[in-house]
Amino acid sequence: MAAAALTGAAMPAAAQESTNQVAANTAWSVFEDKNPKECWAVSAPTETVNTRDGRVVAVRRGSILLMTFFRPDAGVAGQVAFTGGYPFAGGSTVEIDVDGTSFDLFTEGEWAWPASKADDAKIIAAMKAGSNATLTARSSRGTQTKDTFSLSGYTAAMGEAEKRCK
């Protein structure tokens, strides 16, 4: 599925502005919006490292979020999405490593997603079984970012988001 086809359905409309938090499970929170109906489990990183030319650098980034969301009216049930808080380098991918198992996410603008529903399912299964997810990406300015997320509470948060958006 092409990135452009997912853009409209991939990001929860209020993912970064919503105040509709309905649950929290350790490192993960659950949000729900009613119109359109959408629910998502989301977490911020526990560690972030930014490098350029092999050196750690300080950079300004927006919200850094890893999420799994559900939007029943759009047929979205368990889609992984990541925003690094900056525009990704054109044509680049984001690598998600869950306890040594790697997957690629394609990018568009500031967002990255798996290429297919089958890839979503594989990543979700790994995240449910894992303890940490590390996402490595490259910005349009050439900065490499490495964001580590705890998966503690992920299974419960994802289950709650799914239940709320059946």
Side-chain angles (χ1 to χ4, degrees):
M1 191 179 285
L6 283 176
T7 302
M11 184 181 75
Q16 292 180 303
E17 302 98 31
S18 181
T19 57
N20 298 331
Q21 183 175 357
V22 294
N25 296 286
T26 315
W28 289 80
S29 295
V30 178
F31 289 82
E32 177 181 4
D33 279 338
K34 303 287 186 195
N35 192 15
K37 180 76 168 175
E38 55 190 13
C39 307
W40 61 98
V42 62
S43 185
T46 56
E47 181 182 22
T48 296
V49 178
N50 307 300
T51 59
R52 192 175 297 129
D53 300 323
R55 290 185 297 255
V56 174
V57 295
V59 295
R60 184 176 307 197
R61 295 169 68 183
S63 296
I64 306 165
L65 302 170
L66 179 59
M67 61 180 64
T68 301
F69 65 91
F70 301 84
R71 187 182 284 162
D73 293 346
V76 176
Q79 184 173 47
V80 175
F82 170 68
T83 183
Y86 59 82
F88 294 111
S92 69
T93 58
V94 173
E95 177 188 89
I96 178 171
D97 180 296
V98 181
D99 295 338
T101 302
S102 294
F103 307 91
D104 284 328
L105 308 177
F106 68 86
T107 63
E108 182 176 308
E110 293 189 10
W111 288 88
W113 304 271
S116 68
K117 287 183 180 184
D119 289 345
D120 273 313
K122 289 176 191 172
I123 294 168
I124 288 168
M127 289 173 62
K128 283 181 174 181
S131 59
N132 288 294
T134 301
L135 288 92
T136 305
R138 188 169 42 90
S139 78
S140 59
R141 295 181 175 179
T143 303
Q144 180 172 318
T145 60
K146 192 172 192 176
D147 303 306
T148 302
F149 295 81
S150 169
L151 296 174
S152 177
Y154 174 74
T155 301
M158 205 198 97
E160 180 70 21
E162 182 176 29
K163 180 180 81 178
R164 290 177 172 276
C165 266
K166 281 201 173 207

